[in-house]
Amino acid sequence: MVTVLDASGQQLAPCSPEKAHRLLAGGRARLVSQDPMVIELALVAALRSRRVRAESSPPGEGRSLLLHVCCGPCATYSINRLRQMGFAVTGFWYNPNVHPFDEHERRRECISSYAREVGLPMVWPEGYEAQAYFEAVAGHEARAERCAICYRLRLGRTAQVAKQRGFDAFSTTLLISPYQKQTLIRGIGEELATQQGVEFCFENLRRGWGERGRLAREHGLYQQQYCGCTYSEQEATERSRAR
Ligand code: SF4
């Protein structure tokens, strides 16, 4: 009987000399040794090397990703991590929840200058759609309800633009914050991905929360004192007065 190997040298079931010659003649195996006769299966070798290549390349390699950016500090580690995963990252600013307009502009300018600093291409929708936010949350101002609506509003626009512009995936810097509901954000992202036909990239960016703070200080980025909406500003003020 002839010994049959796969590409890693693992022994498969042996075969007859006649079968081994047929495999060699058809280019489906290569001869490792004549006496004793040992062959290596070409298909197994090709499949294995393809699998090894796939396993060793980063998950985002060769793929584009539209990243919803909530603010400069949260963008720091998030951009680095997604780039490290191989994605070609483009930022997307859409935060109609941020109130008042001055605060919105301050956060927008912060990410704008940081994006220039780190060579991040950005997509900027026109205008400030505060009305869209207030209409969406009207009657649902309790925190749990309004945050779910707020995530859906911002991620919904991100998924839509990702689809229109041909990105392979979308994600959000909201995934970095321990103050945001990560599981809920992931669920909404995956639901929108199915609707739009663009992958939602979930990565547990919270691992980089400490690094985010360090990078934000290092780059002198503006650090806001509340999440964004007028309700969160009020809640933050009340919390600090209570302390
Ligand atoms: S607290 Fe933050 S996430 Fe929740 S609704 Fe306000 S801005 Fe949106």
Side-chain angles (χ1 to χ4, degrees):
M1 292 298 275
V2 176
T3 303
V4 181
L5 305 175
D6 71 9
S8 65
Q10 283 202 345
Q11 215 164 314
L12 305 170
C15 71
S16 65
E18 295 74 26
K19 186 171 180 186
H21 284 296
R22 278 202 307 277
L23 290 168
L24 291 168
R28 287 183 288 156
R30 81 176 180 87
L31 188 63
V32 176
S33 126
Q34 185 69 58
D35 189 16
M37 192 171 186
V38 180
I39 62 168
E40 181 188 284
L41 290 184
L43 181 62
V44 175
L47 288 175
R48 184 173 179 85
S49 75
R50 202 182 307 161
R51 197 174 67 230
V52 167
R53 272 203 310 280
E55 281 168 1
S56 59
S57 48
E61 190 164 280
R63 307 182 71 221
S64 58
L65 181 143
L66 188 65
L67 178 65
H68 164 259
V69 178
C70 64
C71 65
C74 288
T76 53
Y77 170 84
S78 307
I79 295 165
N80 291 353
R81 175 65 192 138
L82 291 166
R83 282 178 168 172
Q84 195 183 58
M85 289 168 70
F87 286 106
V89 182
T90 295
F92 179 60
W93 174 261
Y94 182 65
N95 298 292
N97 53 312
V98 180
H99 188 89
F101 180 62
D102 275 356
E103 178 72 15
H104 176 272
E105 289 304 280
R106 194 166 180 191
R107 295 186 194 189
R108 193 179 62 76
E109 280 156 21
C110 174
I111 180 59
S112 174
S113 70
Y114 184 70
R116 279 196 299 277
E117 209 177 312
V118 298
L120 179 76
M122 288 290 300
V123 174
W124 303 101
E126 281 179 23
Y128 170 54
E129 298 182 5
Q131 197 181 334
Y133 170 78
F134 284 115
E135 282 175 2
V137 299
H140 307 279
E141 289 84 359
R143 180 158 188 153
E145 272 190 82
R146 76 167 192 264
C147 292
I149 294 168
C150 183
Y151 299 148
R152 189 175 290 279
L153 181 67
R154 292 187 279 169
L155 284 180
R157 179 65 68 84
T158 313
Q160 198 180 42
V161 172
K163 172 76 176 175
Q164 283 164 357
R165 295 187 177 228
F167 283 87
D168 296 312
F170 70 101
S171 193
T172 175
T173 57
L174 291 167
L175 292 171
I176 200 172
S177 172
Y179 303 109
Q180 304 294 349
K181 299 177 176 70
Q182 196 188 65
T183 307
L184 180 61
I185 294 167
R186 181 179 190 174
I188 291 172
E190 287 172 352
E191 195 185 313
L192 291 164
T194 306
Q195 281 169 18
Q196 292 288 346
V198 186
E199 180 189 323
F200 176 71
C201 171
F202 172 77
E203 172 67 4
N204 184 9
L205 298 171
R206 280 187 186 174
R207 291 193 198 102
W209 182 248
E211 177 70 355
R212 166 208 181 274
R214 191 191 68 71
L215 287 167
R217 284 190 297 278
E218 182 184 306
H219 291 269
L221 303 183
Y222 166 60
Q223 308 233 32
Q224 61 268 12
Q225 300 304 308
Y226 60 100
C227 185
C229 63
T230 188
Y231 312 107
S232 63
E233 183 187 18
Q234 183 184 343
E235 288 159 1
T237 306
E238 285 171 355
R239 271 197 306 275
S240 83
R241 279 184 191 156
R243 281 199 290 267

